[in-house]
Amino acid sequence: MKVLGADIVTDDMANIYATFKGSEDLPRIAVGSHCDSVVQGGNYDGILGVISAMEVAETIVTKKIPHRHPITVMIWTNEEGARFDPAMMSSGVITGKFDKNKMLASKDKDGITFGEALDASGYKGDEKNRMNPKEYMAFVELHIEQGPVLEAAKMDIGVVEGVVGMVNYEFEFIGQAGHAGTVPQRMRKDALYAASEAIQYLHRELDKLDSKLVYTTGRIICSPNVHTIIPDDVKFTLDARHQDPKIVQQVVDVIENIPKELAKCKVSYRKLWSRKTVAFNEDLVDLVEKNAKEYGYSCMRMYSGPGHDAQFVADILPTTMIFVPSIGGHSHCEIEKTSLDNCWKGANVLLKTILDIDKK
Amino acid sequence: MKVLGADIVTDDMANIYATFKGSEDLPRIAVGSHCDSVVQGGNYDGILGVISAMEVAETIVTKKIPHRHPITVMIWTNEEGARFDPAMMSSGVITGKFDKNKMLASKDKDGITFGEALDASGYKGDEKNRMNPKEYMAFVELHIEQGPVLEAAKMDIGVVEGVVGMVNYEFEFIGQAGHAGTVPQRMRKDALYAASEAIQYLHRELDKLDSKLVYTTGRIICSPNVHTIIPDDVKFTLDARHQDPKIVQQVVDVIENIPKELAKCKVSYRKLWSRKTVAFNEDLVDLVEKNAKEYGYSCMRMYSGPGHDAQFVADILPTTMIFVPSIGGHSHCEIEKTSLDNCWKGANVLLKTILDIDKK
């Protein structure tokens, strides 16, 4: 970027901004993603959006494509939250979602704080370099889908309308431990059996709601978890996501109406966290769809299930995202892959969208 | 025991034998249990049987009750297998079930072998002191029930007919991991959902078999066990016990007929271990029942669900056990307790049974 003439700065959260001047003194168009990954993650999530943004800027500069607005290629710090909780940390601080001092105090498993790691990184910059809504006109992020929907529908481009709302609950089942060989079945209070009833119950009830609803019981903790002892305490999590807040509320209703007792075990639940549905800027979403079609690429409108920095930025700036398919729907794993053809198509739509925004 | 005139020796597995001479040169009557416990175990399991055997011997000696056979109070080493696998280690070696060298090589979690711990214990004795079936005529063990059956039936004494047979299997469910927010429900292969179906299936099928069958899915391992990832590998154990080998075979049939696929996940199972039903000596069982009734104690015939050293000894000597109730059915936990009244009743039946055997 430097060789091409970019002015590169970092802000106080180590977000990186590489800006190419425009022909007029106008707000900037920001384009980018994140470089960090999850443990044992793949080579596409985040990185593709950063590389494509750089490619877009290089194309504009080297092909001398006229543009009125400055173009800022950017990299968000700690989107995944893999080493330091929470995810989307730096976009959260910049957009006022998270308290900076709390973030600086976030510790990794070795007890090192984010603040210490930030100081040691060499990328800590000035607060005045932060993305300021007055100085920017839009943010666009290209990202892999991280799911199987585009591939299954044989689509090149996902036109992302927003990020779905979600709720995350933990259920707990309290029974009575006992020796596997001594307690007659009819006298048992088996917390794992109760939990299996609850998983079945939730599937039965949630499957009635809407075909776009996704929900996952991903983590289960059984205690004492010994093959010869009847489990007396089992917990599992439920993550549920949908773009329509009414459907999310119906999920909450199902959760809150779960029987207080299952298989003679006490059932309880608690909300761990939630997020509201974020809708992206309609004009920008339309632009992405128009450009995909103009290129002759197959495309479909969709919501993002996972969270992205763009959903925080959407609160302060017109924002949208472009998705490209993940082969086999795989993501956050080493086999994560997007075909070169689709990477290229995504970058083309990104380029055209940035140039269209520039014309506004 | 020494003050009362016992000859005390230990064998090469540190089993302790305290022998009081009889009036004739006859084989010995052995009576005892174990002193070791599980982690966070209680104060009754094993210990009650040892203390009661000592009490019985003390009563016979101090009351100068005539007895023709020598009476050997004994303590088995490492019945629980809590520090060194397997359980019932020393009775297993003495009765030819386990290879001694393999047992000596068994390591605790700090890498110390049983052999090293044995050398350091000061209780390692001579192989010639082992219980030799030619020199013994019977073994009787008093033990807490470790379950709720006697208490629920308001019985003072359990007349133990044997130890139930058991099978222990592990099931595995292979699905496909994926992001909780991206994979539509209809495209999922959720291994935890499949496992919950299997738990339900097993309960449905096994509940048809016999009211005395006990079975437990005590341990579940979910991978990757992250609240935002669809589980792709879930394993759980099934422990099933019944006195009738035909019922145990029916359990195996149910296991082996489990669908090969559940909820689009691949289902497999493997046998971890099993044991056959052990029947105790019918004459001794009858003696225990007769004596309980003569004292006016309520009693019932029953099988032991848990394993005991007595089940190994039963292979080489006429053997039986006497159970006393566990309050609340609790065992292998700190609240394990048997009422003083029931401890005393158990010791009385034990004394009378030893004296009856002596008359044979």
Side-chain angles (χ1 to χ4, degrees):
Chain A
M1 294 289 98
K2 207 160 230 171
V3 173
L4 296 172
D7 171 41
I8 304 177
V9 297
T10 61
D11 66 21
D12 53 326
M13 292 296 286
N15 299 313
I16 304 173
Y17 308 74
T19 303
F20 297 91
K21 282 203 181 75
S23 58
E24 299 178 28
D25 185 21
L26 291 168
R28 309 169 183 192
I29 302 167
V31 53
S33 188
H34 62 95
C35 280
D36 62 319
S37 188
V38 296
V39 176
Q40 293 188 295
N43 294 327
Y44 291 78
D45 182 350
I47 300 286
L48 177 69
V50 172
I51 297 284
S52 302
M54 290 165 73
E55 191 70 25
V56 160
E58 185 177 344
T59 302
I60 290 172
V61 171
T62 57
K63 302 285 179 189
K64 298 197 169 72
I65 302 175
H67 58 106
R68 298 158 56 223
H69 300 79
I71 293 165
T72 298
V73 173
M74 63 176 303
I75 303 170
W76 295 105
T77 299
N78 195 25
E79 196 265 358
E80 298 290 358
R83 182 175 165 200
F84 298 101
D85 256 342
M88 308 185 297
M89 181 190 276
S90 302
S91 58
V93 169
I94 302 309
T95 59
K97 300 280 185 301
F98 298 146
D99 177 75
K100 182 178 165 185
N101 286 328
K102 278 189 191 160
M103 298 301 110
L104 293 177
S106 176
K107 284 180 184 171
D108 70 8
K109 62 182 169 55
D110 298 324
I112 297 166
T113 66
F114 178 77
E116 289 162 354
L118 191 65
D119 288 337
S121 73
Y123 284 88
K124 189 176 163 182
D126 203 318
E127 191 173 326
K128 75 173 167 50
N129 293 328
R130 285 184 183 186
M131 175 185 272
N132 175 347
K134 288 178 191 161
E135 296 166 4
Y136 286 78
M137 76 174 292
F139 175 65
V140 185
E141 178 170 3
L142 172 70
H143 205 282
I144 59 168
E145 183 203 349
Q146 303 185 262
V149 175
L150 290 175
E151 185 186 62
K154 296 189 166 57
M155 292 290 165
D156 295 317
I157 299 292
V159 180
V160 189
E161 297 180 274
V163 178
V164 300
M166 68 183 293
V167 288
N168 199 284
Y169 279 78
E170 184 180 75
F171 291 88
E172 184 167 17
F173 305 84
I174 303 285
Q176 173 61 54
H179 193 296
T182 62
V183 187
Q185 293 307 113
R186 66 187 160 75
M187 295 175 73
R188 295 190 175 203
K189 294 176 181 176
D190 177 340
L192 181 56
Y193 179 63
S196 80
E197 290 246 311
I199 290 172
Q200 296 283 316
Y201 170 87
L202 290 167
H203 275 252
R204 251 183 343 258
E205 296 300 313
L206 297 177
D207 284 351
K208 294 174 189 166
L209 298 184
D210 188 273
S211 64
K212 281 191 178 160
L213 174 69
V214 288
Y215 60 93
T216 307
T217 49
R219 186 173 67 216
I220 188 165
I221 306 293
C222 175
S223 173
N225 217 35
V226 172
H227 63 96
T228 55
I229 301 180
I230 302 160
D232 66 346
D233 188 348
V234 173
K235 297 186 182 104
F236 68 73
T237 53
L238 176 76
D239 172 296
R241 308 183 190 207
H242 197 283
Q243 65 216 53
D244 182 349
K246 285 196 206 87
I247 303 287
V248 175
Q249 184 54 49
Q250 286 171 14
V251 172
V252 172
D253 291 344
V254 166
I255 292 167
E256 294 186 349
N257 284 315
I258 196 165
K260 288 187 175 62
E261 194 178 290
L262 279 170
K264 293 185 275 182
C265 296
K266 203 183 138 223
V267 180
S268 62
Y269 59 82
R270 65 190 182 102
K271 186 170 158 179
L272 298 183
W273 49 290
S274 65
R275 75 166 187 236
K276 287 189 175 154
T277 296
V278 173
F280 288 146
N281 180 277
E282 283 179 35
D283 293 342
L284 297 186
V285 172
D286 288 345
L287 265 189
V288 169
E289 188 174 39
K290 174 190 79 73
N291 289 327
K293 286 178 177 173
E294 277 185 13
Y295 274 115
Y297 304 156
S298 55
C299 68
M300 66 185 279
R301 286 182 171 244
M302 65 191 300
Y303 265 73
S304 170
H308 297 281
D309 290 309
Q311 83 195 56
F312 283 168
V313 180
D315 255 18
I316 60 166
L317 274 185
T319 295
T320 199
M321 292 184 79
I322 302 163
F323 275 179
V324 287
S326 293
I327 293 174
H330 301 303
S331 178
H332 281 192
C333 54
E334 289 176 2
I335 57 170
E336 174 184 271
K337 192 169 165 65
T338 292
S339 75
L340 185 58
D341 185 55
N342 276 323
C343 291
W344 178 73
K345 286 173 176 172
N348 277 345
V349 174
L350 184 64
L351 169 65
K352 194 90 172 24
T353 302
I354 300 301
L355 293 176
D356 279 349
I357 294 170
D358 181 63
K359 285 179 195 130
K360 294 196 173 201
Chain B
M1 295 287 97
K2 209 161 231 168
V3 172
L4 296 172
D7 171 41
I8 304 177
V9 298
T10 60
D11 68 19
D12 56 324
M13 291 299 283
N15 298 314
I16 304 173
Y17 308 74
T19 303
F20 296 90
K21 281 203 182 78
S23 57
E24 299 177 31
D25 186 21
L26 292 168
R28 311 171 182 190
I29 303 166
V31 52
S33 189
H34 61 95
C35 281
D36 63 317
S37 187
V38 296
V39 176
Q40 292 188 297
N43 294 328
Y44 292 76
D45 182 351
I47 300 286
L48 177 68
V50 173
I51 296 283
S52 302
M54 291 166 72
E55 191 69 25
V56 160
E58 185 178 342
T59 301
I60 291 172
V61 172
T62 57
K63 303 284 178 191
K64 298 194 171 71
I65 301 175
H67 58 106
R68 299 157 57 219
H69 299 78
I71 292 165
T72 298
V73 172
M74 63 176 302
I75 302 170
W76 296 103
T77 301
N78 196 25
E79 196 264 359
E80 298 290 358
R83 181 175 166 197
F84 298 101
D85 257 341
M88 308 184 299
M89 181 190 274
S90 302
S91 58
V93 169
I94 304 306
T95 59
K97 300 279 185 303
F98 298 146
D99 177 74
K100 182 178 164 184
N101 287 326
K102 277 188 192 162
M103 298 302 110
L104 294 177
S106 177
K107 284 182 184 167
D108 71 6
K109 63 181 170 54
D110 298 324
I112 297 166
T113 67
F114 178 76
E116 288 162 355
L118 191 63
D119 288 337
S121 74
Y123 283 89
K124 190 176 166 182
D126 204 320
E127 191 173 325
K128 75 171 166 53
N129 293 328
R130 286 185 183 185
M131 174 184 274
N132 175 348
K134 288 178 194 163
E135 298 165 3
Y136 286 79
M137 75 173 293
F139 174 64
V140 186
E141 178 170 3
L142 172 70
H143 205 281
I144 59 168
E145 181 204 350
Q146 304 186 260
V149 175
L150 290 175
E151 185 186 62
K154 297 190 165 57
M155 293 291 166
D156 294 319
I157 299 292
V159 180
V160 190
E161 299 181 272
V163 179
V164 300
M166 66 183 293
V167 288
N168 199 285
Y169 279 78
E170 183 180 78
F171 291 88
E172 184 168 17
F173 305 83
I174 304 283
Q176 172 62 55
H179 193 296
T182 62
V183 187
Q185 293 306 111
R186 66 187 161 73
M187 296 175 73
R188 294 190 176 202
K189 295 176 180 175
D190 177 341
L192 181 57
Y193 179 62
S196 80
E197 291 245 313
I199 290 172
Q200 296 283 315
Y201 171 87
L202 291 166
H203 275 254
R204 249 182 345 256
E205 297 300 314
L206 297 177
D207 284 349
K208 294 174 189 167
L209 299 184
D210 188 89
S211 64
K212 281 191 178 160
L213 174 69
V214 288
Y215 61 91
T216 307
T217 49
R219 186 173 65 215
I220 187 164
I221 306 292
C222 175
S223 174
N225 217 35
V226 173
H227 63 96
T228 54
I229 300 179
I230 302 160
D232 65 346
D233 188 348
V234 174
K235 297 186 181 103
F236 67 74
T237 55
L238 176 77
D239 173 294
R241 309 185 189 206
H242 198 280
Q243 62 215 56
D244 183 349
K246 286 197 206 90
I247 302 286
V248 175
Q249 184 53 50
Q250 287 172 13
V251 172
V252 172
D253 291 344
V254 166
I255 291 167
E256 295 185 349
N257 284 315
I258 196 166
K260 289 188 174 61
E261 194 179 290
L262 279 171
K264 292 186 276 182
C265 296
K266 201 181 140 228
V267 181
S268 62
Y269 58 83
R270 66 191 182 100
K271 186 171 158 177
L272 298 184
W273 49 291
S274 65
R275 73 165 187 237
K276 288 189 176 153
T277 297
V278 174
F280 287 146
N281 182 277
E282 282 180 35
D283 293 341
L284 297 186
V285 172
D286 288 345
L287 267 190
V288 169
E289 189 174 37
K290 175 190 77 74
N291 289 328
K293 286 179 179 171
E294 278 185 13
Y295 275 114
Y297 304 155
S298 56
C299 69
M300 65 184 282
R301 287 183 171 242
M302 64 190 301
Y303 266 73
S304 170
H308 297 282
D309 291 310
Q311 83 195 58
F312 284 168
V313 180
D315 254 20
I316 60 167
L317 274 185
T319 296
T320 199
M321 293 185 78
I322 302 163
F323 276 179
V324 285
S326 293
I327 294 173
H330 301 302
S331 177
H332 281 192
C333 55
E334 290 175 3
I335 57 169
E336 174 183 272
K337 191 171 166 66
T338 293
S339 75
L340 185 58
D341 184 56
N342 277 321
C343 292
W344 179 72
K345 287 173 175 171
N348 279 344
V349 175
L350 184 65
L351 169 65
K352 194 87 173 23
T353 303
I354 299 303
L355 293 175
D356 279 349
I357 295 169
D358 182 62
K359 287 178 195 127
K360 294 200 172 196

